[in-house]
Amino acid sequence: MSGRLDAVTILDREYLAVRAKLLEIGATLDRLDRAEGTVEADPRRQRIRAGLEILAADKPDRAEQIQRLFSLGYDEHWRRTFGLAVNGQ
């Protein structure tokens, strides 16, 4: 026994939540389209579009790809960058 759920069980459990999230995203995009002005050049809008493309692709590790899309790259000097360095390190 693997302890992993089968695909049908996961779909049964998650379907309504996924549907609600998709409706929310669609409604937000519709509001952006109807609003005055444009955000097409806004990097956040471009990341949202890239995230949707990641979701639509038939590839594994979608969550990891989206997490990386919305994250800063690793900075080995992050403690200094955020003022958390102790004794200059």
Side-chain angles (χ1 to χ4, degrees), residues 22-77:
L22 289 171
L23 284 168
E24 185 175 341
I25 291 168
T28 299
L29 295 175
D30 287 347
R31 284 193 298 276
L32 284 171
D33 289 346
R34 290 190 303 263
E36 289 188 32
T38 182
V39 290
E40 287 304 311
D42 188 306
R44 296 172 298 177
R45 178 65 177 101
Q46 294 171 0
R47 278 191 210 104
I48 290 169
R49 180 172 285 117
L52 292 171
E53 289 171 4
I54 289 169
L55 290 177
D58 191 20
K59 296 181 178 177
D61 303 323
R62 293 178 190 92
E64 178 182 340
Q65 292 176 55
I66 290 173
Q67 179 65 45
R68 289 180 184 270
L69 176 66
F70 288 96
S71 299
L72 297 173
Y74 180 72
D75 174 5
E76 66 181 83
H77 305 293

Side-chain angles (χ1 to χ4, degrees), residues 11 13-27:
L11 184 61
R13 187 178 70 186
E14 303 291 337
Y15 177 76
L16 291 176
V18 170
R19 185 184 78 160
K21 292 172 187 173
L22 289 171
L23 284 168
E24 185 175 341
I25 291 168

